[in-house]
Amino acid sequence: MLDDGTADRVIVVDNGSTDDSVAVLRRALPDATVLALDTNGGFAAGANAGVRHSDADVVVLLNNDAEPAPGFVAALRDHLVAAPADVAAVTGRIVLAGRWTRLPAGTAAGSDQRVLRDHDGRLWVPSADGETRLNSTGVRLDRDGNGMDRDWFAPADRVAAPAVFGFSGGAAALRRAALEDVGPLDESLFMYYEDAELAWRLHRRGWRVEYVADAVVVHDHSASSGVQSELFLFRNARNRLVVALWHAPWPTVLRAAARTLARGLRGLTGGSTRREARLVLAALADVVRHLPAHLAHRVRQSRVASVPRRAVDPGA
């Protein structure tokens, strides 16, 4: 809910709820437009519906599990309005909800504890006397095509560079002119990597993405899907490969495929859970099964691009 008075119009998209969510939203937000979709088409479908329902030059995306600080919309909007014309999107500073403590090496978390892992493989658990940590200052990709939040679990006051590869779809502003140039979020991905995929299209058309620290939200990470749910494990593995196939140089595609295959086979031999391994291998099989369509999509993207893929730096 955006209540700082800086949004010209608030559109809340209900993505096919089957309970009384729409009625609750309309009672709680009488000044907002509540857009009720018949079915759940995933994050991209919901976000695109909201964008289509607006005619603003700048549109702001906010996840349902994120709470904006006062001035969030103004910080994003003002930065984008003042930015050079080739800046397509501005991503905000996303802070993890609650406080977190790092587990000592070799220490196992309790069976009832929520556990998150940082980029170095260290485990963190909620703790009342812990520290406030960052969720994201934008999105970057590694050399294997793996998308990740920049500054994941860094101290909350970390100073990050304005230039970044991608925006976080949960807290960002987009320039409508850029969306009209490259198209909306890709709904075929359903959930995960939609923002990274759009960032690839933006960069290959000469657009840029920037980060603004003053646009702050507090995010309950993966509150909607859970990092160990079947949806997350399958879609995350599948979409990483798909986005690499569509946009990345061939060495990155091959590394992404090899990494996915190795992860799945390790799980089957006891390196991780068999359930996770089966989902990862199912994701790889799905990509292989539809490989001709993905390769055709890669060709179409190259035809409309004005910047070579090798000139794009996903690690920015």
Side-chain angles (χ1 to χ4, degrees):
M1 177 179 175
L2 304 176
D3 58 2
D4 59 6
T6 55
D8 294 326
R9 186 181 182 193
V10 176
I11 299 173
V12 181
V13 180
D14 180 272
N15 222 352
S17 292
T18 57
D19 56 13
D20 62 345
S21 293
V22 173
V24 170
L25 286 168
R26 285 176 173 154
R27 285 197 303 269
L29 305 172
D31 296 326
T33 299
V34 177
L35 188 60
L37 304 185
D38 293 333
T39 59
N40 180 4
F43 170 80
N48 287 342
V51 172
R52 286 194 300 269
H53 212 73
S54 164
D55 59 1
D57 293 334
V58 174
V59 293
V60 175
L61 304 181
L62 181 69
N63 265 8
N64 63 323
D65 53 6
E67 181 178 349
F72 165 74
V73 172
L76 289 174
R77 181 197 60 206
D78 293 351
H79 185 100
L80 191 54
V81 168
D86 65 342
V87 176
V90 179
T91 193
R93 179 159 60 100
I94 306 177
V95 179
L96 281 168
R99 292 180 173 272
W100 298 83
T101 295
R102 195 178 80 192
L103 287 177
T107 303
S111 59
D112 60 342
Q113 278 186 302
R114 184 183 182 192
V115 181
L116 293 178
R117 187 184 301 270
D118 66 21
H119 289 326
D120 295 321
R122 298 171 298 194
L123 301 181
W124 295 76
V125 295
S127 171
D129 58 353
E131 305 170 26
T132 303
R133 291 276 161 168
L134 284 174
N135 186 148
S136 176
T137 61
V139 172
R140 65 183 181 89
L141 303 181
D142 67 14
R143 63 190 301 272
D144 297 335
N146 188 49
M148 60 188 69
D149 289 307
R150 187 177 69 168
D151 292 325
W152 170 250
F153 262 101
D157 59 357
R158 167 73 62 85
V159 177
V164 66
F165 171 73
F167 61 93
S168 171
L174 302 174
R175 201 186 295 273
R176 184 175 294 275
L179 292 175
E180 291 176 346
D181 181 38
V182 305
L185 292 160
D186 194 296
E187 297 182 15
S188 72
L189 297 173
F190 188 78
M191 186 176 288
Y192 304 117
Y193 278 82
E194 307 97 321
D195 42 15
E197 192 278 329
L198 180 55
W200 265 112
R201 279 186 279 140
L202 289 168
H203 283 289
R204 296 204 64 203
R205 289 286 294 174
W207 296 93
R208 296 188 295 117
V209 178
E210 290 188 345
Y211 159 73
V212 58
D214 293 338
V216 181
V217 301
V218 177
H219 181 222
D220 190 359
H221 179 70
S222 290
S224 298
S225 62
V227 294
Q228 287 300 314
S229 68
E230 291 193 1
L231 172 66
F232 177 88
L233 293 170
F234 176 82
R235 282 285 168 181
N236 196 56
R238 175 195 179 274
N239 290 355
R240 179 176 66 249
L241 283 171
V242 167
V243 172
L245 260 174
W246 290 354
H247 299 293
W250 280 115
T252 299
V253 177
L254 295 175
R255 285 193 297 267
R259 173 175 173 164
T260 303
L261 178 60
R263 179 183 170 194
L265 294 178
R266 263 198 321 269
L268 292 180
T269 58
S272 62
T273 66
R274 290 182 179 274
R275 167 179 166 272
E276 179 177 338
R278 286 195 297 270
L279 290 166
V280 169
L281 291 175
L284 178 59
D286 181 89
V287 175
V288 171
R289 186 163 56 250
H290 297 96
L291 188 58
H294 293 313
L295 293 176
H297 192 93
R298 181 183 178 92
V299 171
R300 288 194 298 272
Q301 290 300 317
S302 293
R303 286 173 178 165
V304 299
S306 54
V307 175
R309 56 174 52 90
R310 64 179 179 276
V312 177
D313 180 12

